[in-house]
Amino acid sequence: METRQIIIIGGGLAGLTSAIHLSKIGLRVTVVEKQLFPKHKVCGEYVSNEVLPYLEWLGLDVSKLKPTQISKIIFSTSSGKIVRGNLPLGGFGISRYALDEFLHQKALSNGCSFIHESVENIDFNNDVFTVTATGNQTLTADFVIGAYGKRSNLDQKLHRDFISRQSPWLAVKAHYSGDFPNDTVGLHNFKGGYCGISKVENDTINVCYLADYKTFKNYKNIEDYQQAVVSKNPNLRPIFENMNPLFEKPLTISQISFEKKQAVENHVLMVGDSVGMIHPLCGNGMAMAIHSAKILSELLGDFFAGKIQSRAALEKKYTKTWNSNFSNRLSVGRFLAKILGKSKLSENLMRLLTVFPSLLPKIINKTHGKALVLNS
């Protein structure tokens, strides 16, 4: 049985970016992804420009996908009070349907292998991983990267702490046609949740919101919930009343956890949402997923080049580097979510931002990074 150097479980942003990077530096990579490409995913579909230098290094010219260029933000509380500002670095809107397929094709051209099955078990013994997939497929590898997203049955099998606790969050996403500014991302608060709105390619509008499941379950369906709760924010009402849905029905995902996770679990190296999710109101999840892939891929490159002497040293350095880059951002995201979840505090924040509008980009900076620079 051939031992693959690296198996990546999950073909989302972090998994595909890791595959492209690792194959670029000469490592053998197999991606195990249960779904076929292209596919839609629940996602805000806004990417901070901080990742552009890294994507260019990977040989990825995302301008070919004709994304929208976004430089402004509109933020509102549940009562509808608005603060406008400029995004410090700006970003671009691109659907996961288009971006993931773009990355998938690049990974294939780099020589990565893809297996479209579900992973049933991961075993680590004698410094080798054995990955069992559906159809009785058994793969072995030197390293396994967990890039399977927000929540998986694998989290239970790895006995991760967060998976045993219920999470109150449900996410809903759909595409629409209609009128919305090309250069703007809207982040709007409503009772029990937040909604992000921005354009992606082909003049399509992405609407993605996070909802408190306890409130959501009081309604028969998504349409009733949107009309009774989400649309109470006057900035959101026209979205659902005047825009035309492009999906047969919205995509949903439940049990989304924003709790702390470990960067390494049973020697599996976690990237993207598998290691930590920032609240959607911060609008930086996609860039963080790509950045985490960069950090891990560079460290794995150092390991195979002999610059890192052991698996234990690699795991320790990855955990430290991940925390130094992201733990503060996640803490700020959780703090902002708590403020916006309380109407009086959120109204006070809005009054402060109205008087001192320069605070908005400073808050945004706390949840975003600087332009990524490649290690020499």
Side-chain angles (χ1 to χ4, degrees), residues 3 17 85 96 122 144 182 215 265 294 297 373:
T3 298
T17 304
R96 292 295 298 275
I122 306 170
V144 168
N182 288 344
T215 305
E265 294 277 8
K294 172 184 180 292
S297 298
V373 177

Side-chain angles (χ1 to χ4, degrees), residues 281-297:
L281 64 94
C282 300
N284 202 36
M286 291 175 74
M288 280 183 55
I290 293 168
H291 189 178
S292 68
K294 172 184 180 292
I295 291 169
L296 179 56
S297 298

Side-chain angles (χ1 to χ4, degrees), residues 5-32 37 54-55 57-58 60 96 99-100 103-104 106-108 110-114 143-149 263 268-275 286-301 304 318 322 326 372 374:
Q5 283 176 287
I6 297 167
I7 292 174
I8 300 173
I9 302 173
L13 277 183
L16 291 170
T17 304
S18 299
I20 294 166
H21 187 139
L22 294 168
S23 57
K24 176 182 170 72
I25 61 176
L27 298 176
R28 293 194 309 278
V29 178
T30 297
V31 180
V32 185
F37 297 93
Y54 176 51
L55 295 179
W57 181 83
L58 291 174
L60 295 164
R96 292 295 298 275
L99 181 57
D100 286 17
L103 299 179
H104 171 229
K106 180 63 174 178
L108 285 172
N110 276 15
C112 298
S113 300
F114 281 80
F143 288 94
V144 168
I145 296 174
Y148 47 76
V268 177
L269 303 162
M270 302 293 179
V271 290
D273 290 346
S274 297
V275 63
M286 291 175 74
M288 280 183 55
I290 293 168
H291 189 178
S292 68
K294 172 184 180 292
I295 291 169
L296 179 56
S297 298
E298 288 177 339
L299 291 175
L300 282 168
F304 282 102
Y318 177 54
W322 193 95
F326 303 123
L372 300 189
L374 271 292

Side-chain angles (χ1 to χ4, degrees), residues 50 74 101 122 133 184 211 230 294 302-303 320 343:
E50 66 196 67
I74 297 176
E101 172 62 3
I122 306 170
T184 300
V230 183
K294 172 184 180 292
D302 287 345
F303 176 86
K320 182 179 180 180
S343 58

Side-chain angles (χ1 to χ4, degrees), residues 310-367:
S310 67
R311 185 184 299 273
L314 169 67
E315 292 176 359
K316 183 177 180 180
K317 189 163 186 179
Y318 177 54
T319 299
K320 182 179 180 180
T321 307
W322 193 95
N323 285 331
S324 68
N325 277 278
F326 303 123
S327 60
N328 285 342
R329 296 195 211 180
L330 296 180
S331 296
V332 171
R334 284 190 288 267
F335 177 71
L336 288 173
K338 286 181 180 179
I339 290 177
L340 293 170
K342 301 180 185 299
S343 58
K344 288 185 179 179
L345 286 176
S346 63
E347 294 298 330
N348 287 336
L349 175 61
M350 291 300 286
R351 278 195 288 269
L352 184 65
L353 291 174
T354 302
V355 177
F356 302 104
S358 62
L359 288 176
L360 183 59
K362 291 180 180 179
I363 292 173
I364 294 169
N365 274 331
K366 290 291 184 181
T367 61

Side-chain angles (χ1 to χ4, degrees), residues 85-159:
N86 294 320
L87 294 166
L89 284 177
F92 56 96
I94 186 71
S95 72
R96 292 295 298 275
Y97 189 89
L99 181 57
D100 286 17
E101 172 62 3
F102 184 60
L103 299 179
H104 171 229
Q105 290 300 325
K106 180 63 174 178
L108 285 172
S109 69
N110 276 15
C112 298
S113 300
F114 281 80
I115 297 174
H116 293 290
E117 301 287 353
S118 296
V119 172
E120 296 184 335
N121 194 46
I122 306 170
D123 182 63
F124 181 74
N125 191 33
N126 294 326
D127 217 34
V128 174
F129 283 97
T130 302
V131 175
T132 306
T134 50
N136 292 320
Q137 291 196 67
T138 301
L139 313 170
T140 59
D142 299 309
F143 288 94
V144 168
I145 296 174
Y148 47 76
K150 304 169 181 66
R151 196 177 186 91
S152 167
N153 290 335
L154 289 175
D155 291 317
Q156 294 178 329
K157 294 185 177 182
L158 292 170
H159 305 291

